[in-house]
Coordinates of all heavy atoms in Angstrom, one line a residue:
D163 N 4.2 9.7 -13.4 CA 4.7 10.2 -14.8 C 6.1 9.5 -14.9 O 6.4 9.0 -16.1 CB 5.0 11.7 -14.9 CG 3.6 12.5 -14.9 OD1 2.6 11.7 -15.2 OD2 3.5 13.7 -14.7
R164 N 6.9 9.5 -13.9 CA 8.3 8.9 -14.1 C 8.2 7.4 -14.4 O 9.0 6.9 -15.2 CB 9.1 9.2 -12.8 CG 9.6 10.7 -12.7 CD 10.8 10.8 -11.8 NE 10.3 10.5 -10.3 CZ 10.0 11.6 -9.6 NH1 10.2 12.9 -9.9 NH2 9.6 11.3 -8.3
K165 N 7.3 6.7 -13.7 CA 7.2 5.3 -13.9 C 6.6 5.1 -15.2 O 7.1 4.1 -16.0 CB 6.2 4.7 -12.9 CG 6.1 3.2 -13.1 CD 5.2 2.6 -11.9 CE 6.0 2.5 -10.6 NZ 7.1 1.5 -10.6
M166 N 5.7 5.9 -15.9 CA 5.3 5.7 -17.2 C 6.4 5.8 -18.1 O 6.5 5.0 -19.1 CB 4.1 6.7 -17.5 CG 2.8 6.5 -16.8 SD 1.7 7.8 -17.1 CE 1.5 7.8 -18.8
N167 N 7.3 6.8 -17.9 CA 8.4 7.0 -18.8 C 9.5 5.9 -18.7 O 9.9 5.4 -19.7 CB 9.2 8.4 -18.4 CG 8.3 9.5 -18.9 OD1 7.5 9.5 -19.8 ND2 8.5 10.7 -18.1
R168 N 9.7 5.5 -17.4 CA 10.8 4.4 -17.3 C 10.2 3.0 -17.8 O 11.0 2.3 -18.5 CB 11.0 4.2 -15.8 CG 11.9 5.3 -15.2 CD 12.4 4.9 -13.7 NE 11.4 4.4 -12.9 CZ 10.7 5.2 -12.0 NH1 10.9 6.5 -12.0 NH2 9.8 4.6 -11.2
M169 N 9.0 2.9 -17.7 CA 8.5 1.5 -18.1 C 7.9 1.4 -19.5 O 7.4 0.5 -20.0 CB 7.4 1.1 -17.1 CG 7.8 1.1 -15.6 SD 9.2 -0.1 -15.3 CE 8.1 -1.6 -15.1
N170 N 7.9 2.7 -20.2 CA 7.4 2.8 -21.6 C 6.0 2.4 -21.6 O 5.7 1.6 -22.5 CB 8.3 2.0 -22.5 CG 8.0 2.4 -24.0 OD1 7.5 3.4 -24.3 ND2 8.3 1.4 -24.9
V171 N 5.2 2.9 -20.7 CA 3.8 2.5 -20.6 C 2.9 3.8 -20.8 O 3.3 4.8 -20.2 CB 3.4 1.9 -19.3 CG1 2.0 1.6 -19.2 CG2 4.1 0.6 -19.1
A172 N 1.8 3.7 -21.6 CA 1.0 4.8 -21.9 C -0.3 4.7 -21.2 O -0.8 3.5 -21.1 CB 0.8 5.0 -23.4
S173 N -0.9 5.8 -20.8 CA -2.2 5.9 -20.3 C -2.7 7.2 -20.7 O -2.2 8.3 -20.4 CB -2.2 5.8 -18.8 OG -3.5 6.2 -18.3
P174 N -3.9 7.3 -21.3 CA -4.5 8.6 -21.9 C -4.9 9.5 -20.7 O -4.9 10.8 -20.9 CB -5.8 8.1 -22.6 CG -6.1 6.7 -22.0 CD -4.8 6.1 -21.7
T175 N -5.1 9.0 -19.5 CA -5.4 9.9 -18.4 C -4.3 9.8 -17.3 O -4.6 10.3 -16.1 CB -6.8 9.5 -17.7 OG1 -6.7 8.1 -17.3 CG2 -7.8 9.6 -18.8
A176 N -3.2 9.3 -17.6 CA -2.0 9.2 -16.6 C -2.6 8.6 -15.4 O -2.3 8.9 -14.3 CB -1.5 10.6 -16.2
S177 N -3.1 7.4 -15.6 CA -3.8 6.6 -14.5 C -2.9 5.6 -13.9 O -2.3 4.7 -14.7 CB -5.0 5.9 -15.1 OG -5.4 4.8 -14.2
A178 N -2.6 5.6 -12.6 CA -1.7 4.6 -12.0 C -2.3 3.2 -12.2 O -1.5 2.2 -12.3 CB -1.6 4.9 -10.5
Q179 N -3.6 3.0 -12.2 CA -4.2 1.8 -12.4 C -3.9 1.2 -13.8 O -3.6 0.1 -13.9 CB -5.8 1.9 -12.3 CG -6.6 0.8 -12.7 CD -6.6 -0.4 -11.8 OE1 -6.1 -0.2 -10.6 NE2 -7.2 -1.5 -12.1
D180 N -4.0 2.1 -14.9 CA -3.6 1.6 -16.1 C -2.1 1.1 -16.2 O -1.9 0.1 -16.9 CB -3.8 2.8 -17.2 CG -5.2 3.1 -17.5 OD1 -6.1 2.4 -17.0 OD2 -5.5 4.2 -18.1
V181 N -1.2 1.9 -15.6 CA 0.2 1.6 -15.7 C 0.4 0.2 -14.9 O 1.1 -0.7 -15.5 CB 1.0 2.7 -15.0 CG1 2.5 2.3 -14.9 CG2 0.9 4.0 -15.8
S182 N -0.2 0.0 -13.7 CA -0.1 -1.2 -13.0 C -0.6 -2.3 -13.7 O 0.1 -3.4 -13.8 CB -0.7 -1.0 -11.7 OG -0.1 0.1 -10.9
A183 N -1.8 -2.2 -14.3 CA -2.4 -3.4 -15.0 C -1.5 -3.8 -16.2 O -1.4 -4.9 -16.4 CB -3.7 -3.0 -15.4
T184 N -0.9 -2.8 -16.9 CA -0.1 -3.2 -18.0 C 1.2 -3.9 -17.6 O 1.5 -4.9 -18.3 CB 0.3 -1.8 -18.8 OG1 -0.9 -1.2 -19.3 CG2 1.1 -2.2 -20.0
I185 N 1.8 -3.4 -16.6 CA 3.1 -4.1 -16.0 C 2.7 -5.5 -15.6 O 3.4 -6.4 -15.9 CB 3.6 -3.3 -15.0 CG1 4.1 -1.9 -15.5 CG2 4.8 -4.0 -14.4 CD1 4.5 -0.9 -14.4
L186 N 1.6 -5.7 -14.9 CA 1.3 -7.0 -14.4 C 0.9 -7.9 -15.5 O 1.2 -9.2 -15.4 CB 0.1 -6.9 -13.3 CG 0.5 -6.3 -12.0 CD1 -0.7 -6.1 -11.0 CD2 1.6 -7.1 -11.3
K187 N 0.3 -7.4 -16.5 CA 0.0 -8.2 -17.7 C 1.2 -8.7 -18.3 O 1.4 -9.9 -18.7 CB -0.9 -7.5 -18.7 CG -1.3 -8.4 -19.8 CD -2.4 -7.5 -20.7 CE -2.8 -8.3 -21.9 NZ -1.7 -8.6 -22.9
Q188 N 2.2 -7.9 -18.5 CA 3.4 -8.3 -19.1 C 4.3 -9.3 -18.3 O 4.8 -10.2 -18.8 CB 4.3 -7.0 -19.4 CG 3.7 -6.1 -20.4 CD 4.3 -4.7 -20.3 OE1 4.9 -4.3 -19.4 NE2 4.1 -3.9 -21.4
V189 N 4.2 -9.1 -17.0 CA 4.9 -10.0 -16.1 C 4.3 -11.4 -16.2 O 4.9 -12.5 -16.2 CB 4.8 -9.5 -14.6 CG1 5.3 -10.6 -13.6 CG2 5.5 -8.3 -14.4
A190 N 2.9 -11.5 -16.3 CA 2.2 -12.7 -16.4 C 2.5 -13.4 -17.7 O 2.6 -14.7 -17.8 CB 0.7 -12.5 -16.2
E191 N 2.6 -12.7 -18.8 CA 2.8 -13.2 -20.1 C 4.3 -13.8 -20.3 O 4.5 -14.8 -21.0 CB 2.4 -12.2 -21.2 CG 1.0 -11.9 -21.3 CD 0.8 -10.7 -22.4 OE1 1.8 -10.1 -22.8 OE2 -0.4 -10.6 -22.7
Y192 N 5.2 -13.1 -19.7 CA 6.6 -13.4 -19.9 C 7.2 -13.7 -18.5 O 7.7 -12.6 -17.9 CB 7.4 -12.3 -20.7 CG 6.8 -12.1 -22.1 CD1 6.1 -10.8 -22.2 CD2 6.8 -13.0 -23.0 CE1 5.5 -10.6 -23.5 CE2 6.1 -12.8 -24.2 CZ 5.5 -11.6 -24.5 OH 5.1 -11.3 -25.7
P193 N 7.4 -14.9 -18.0 CA 8.0 -15.0 -16.7 C 9.3 -14.5 -16.6 O 10.1 -14.6 -17.5 CB 8.0 -16.6 -16.5 CG 7.0 -17.1 -17.6 CD 6.9 -16.1 -18.7
G194 N 9.6 -13.9 -15.5 CA 10.9 -13.2 -15.4 C 11.0 -11.8 -16.1 O 12.1 -11.2 -16.1
F195 N 10.0 -11.4 -16.7 CA 10.0 -10.2 -17.5 C 10.3 -8.9 -16.7 O 9.8 -8.8 -15.6 CB 8.6 -10.0 -18.2 CG 8.5 -8.7 -19.0 CD1 8.9 -8.7 -20.3 CD2 7.9 -7.6 -18.4 CE1 8.7 -7.6 -21.0 CE2 7.7 -6.4 -19.2 CZ 8.1 -6.4 -20.5
D196 N 11.1 -8.0 -17.2 CA 11.4 -6.7 -16.6 C 11.3 -5.8 -17.8 O 12.0 -5.7 -18.7 CB 12.8 -6.6 -16.0 CG 12.9 -7.3 -14.6 OD1 11.9 -7.2 -14.0 OD2 13.8 -8.0 -14.5
R197 N 10.3 -4.8 -17.7 CA 10.0 -3.8 -18.8 C 11.2 -3.0 -19.0 O 11.5 -2.8 -20.2 CB 8.8 -3.1 -18.5 CG 8.3 -2.1 -19.4 CD 7.6 -2.7 -20.6 NE 7.3 -1.6 -21.7 CZ 6.6 -1.8 -22.6 NH1 6.0 -3.0 -22.8 NH2 6.3 -0.9 -23.6
N198 N 11.8 -2.4 -17.9 CA 12.9 -1.7 -18.3 C 14.2 -2.1 -17.6 O 14.4 -2.0 -16.4 CB 12.7 -0.1 -17.7 CG 12.7 0.1 -16.3 OD1 12.2 -0.9 -15.6 ND2 13.3 1.2 -15.8
T199 N 14.9 -3.0 -18.3 CA 16.0 -3.6 -17.8 C 17.3 -2.6 -17.8 O 17.2 -1.6 -18.4 CB 16.3 -4.8 -18.7 OG1 16.5 -4.3 -20.1 CG2 15.2 -5.8 -18.6
P200 N 18.4 -3.0 -17.1 CA 19.5 -2.1 -17.1 C 20.0 -1.8 -18.5 O 20.8 -0.8 -18.6 CB 20.6 -2.9 -16.3 CG 19.7 -3.7 -15.5 CD 18.6 -4.1 -16.3
D201 N 19.7 -2.5 -19.5 CA 20.3 -2.2 -21.0 C 19.3 -1.4 -21.7 O 19.0 -1.6 -22.8 CB 20.6 -3.5 -21.6 CG 19.4 -4.5 -21.9 OD1 18.4 -4.1 -21.3 OD2 19.6 -5.4 -22.7
N202 N 18.8 -0.3 -20.9 CA 18.0 0.7 -21.6 C 16.6 0.2 -22.1 O 16.1 0.6 -23.0 CB 18.7 1.3 -22.8 CG 18.2 2.7 -23.1 OD1 17.6 3.3 -22.2 ND2 18.3 3.2 -24.3
G203 N 16.1 -0.8 -21.3 CA 14.7 -1.1 -21.6 C 14.4 -2.1 -22.8 O 13.3 -2.1 -23.3
K204 N 15.3 -2.9 -23.1 CA 15.0 -3.9 -24.1 C 13.9 -4.8 -23.7 O 14.0 -5.4 -22.6 CB 16.3 -4.6 -24.5 CG 16.1 -5.6 -25.6 CD 17.3 -6.4 -26.0 CE 17.1 -7.4 -27.2 NZ 18.3 -8.1 -27.6
Q205 N 13.0 -5.0 -24.6 CA 11.8 -5.9 -24.2 C 12.0 -7.3 -24.5 O 12.6 -7.5 -25.5 CB 10.5 -5.3 -24.8 CG 10.2 -3.9 -24.5 CD 9.0 -3.5 -25.2 OE1 8.0 -4.3 -25.4 NE2 8.9 -2.2 -25.5
F206 N 11.4 -8.2 -23.6 CA 11.4 -9.6 -24.0 C 10.4 -9.9 -25.1 O 9.4 -9.1 -25.2 CB 11.1 -10.5 -22.8 CG 12.1 -10.4 -21.7 CD1 11.7 -10.5 -20.4 CD2 13.5 -10.2 -22.0 CE1 12.5 -10.5 -19.4 CE2 14.3 -10.1 -20.9 CZ 13.9 -10.2 -19.6
S207 N 10.6 -10.8 -25.8 CA 9.5 -11.2 -26.8 C 9.5 -12.8 -27.0 O 10.4 -13.4 -26.4 CB 9.9 -10.7 -28.3 OG 11.0 -11.2 -28.8
K208 N 8.6 -13.3 -27.5 CA 8.3 -14.7 -27.8 C 9.4 -15.3 -28.6 O 9.8 -16.4 -28.5 CB 7.0 -15.0 -28.4 CG 5.8 -14.8 -27.5 CD 4.5 -15.1 -28.1 CE 3.3 -14.8 -27.2 NZ 2.1 -15.2 -27.8
S209 N 10.1 -14.5 -29.3 CA 11.3 -14.8 -30.1 C 12.6 -14.8 -29.3 O 13.5 -15.2 -29.9 CB 11.4 -14.0 -31.3 OG 11.7 -12.7 -31.1
D210 N 12.5 -14.3 -28.1 CA 13.8 -14.2 -27.4 C 13.5 -14.9 -26.1 O 13.7 -14.3 -24.9 CB 14.1 -12.8 -27.0 CG 14.4 -11.9 -28.2 OD1 15.0 -12.5 -29.2 OD2 14.0 -10.8 -28.3
P211 N 13.2 -16.1 -26.0 CA 12.9 -16.9 -24.8 C 14.1 -17.0 -23.8 O 13.9 -17.2 -22.7 CB 12.4 -18.3 -25.3 CG 13.1 -18.5 -26.6 CD 13.0 -17.2 -27.2
Q212 N 15.3 -17.0 -24.4 CA 16.4 -17.1 -23.5 C 16.6 -15.9 -22.7 O 17.4 -16.1 -21.6 CB 17.7 -17.4 -24.4 CG 18.1 -16.1 -25.2 CD 17.5 -16.1 -26.6 OE1 16.5 -16.7 -26.7 NE2 18.0 -15.2 -27.4
E213 N 16.0 -14.8 -22.9 CA 16.1 -13.6 -22.2 C 15.4 -13.5 -21.0 O 15.5 -12.8 -20.1 CB 16.0 -12.4 -23.0 CG 17.0 -12.2 -24.1 CD 16.9 -10.8 -24.8 OE1 16.3 -10.0 -24.2 OE2 17.4 -10.7 -25.9
A214 N 14.3 -14.4 -20.9 CA 13.4 -14.5 -19.7 C 13.9 -15.4 -18.8 O 14.2 -16.5 -19.0 CB 12.0 -14.9 -20.3

Side-chain angles (χ1 to χ4, degrees):
D163 289 345
R164 286 198 290 264
K165 185 174 285 290
M166 290 173 62
N167 289 334
R168 288 193 306 269
M169 306 297 278
N170 192 26
V171 174
S173 168
T175 59
S177 161
Q179 170 78 8
D180 290 350
V181 175
S182 298
T184 300
I185 295 169
L186 289 175
K187 182 174 183 292
Q188 293 163 343
V189 171
E191 289 177 348
Y192 304 111
F195 176 85
D196 284 315
R197 178 78 181 193
N198 74 323
T199 56
D201 62 350
N202 201 27
K204 183 178 181 182
Q205 300 178 32
F206 299 145
S207 69
K208 293 180 180 179
S209 61
D210 297 322
Q212 69 276 12
E213 295 191 16

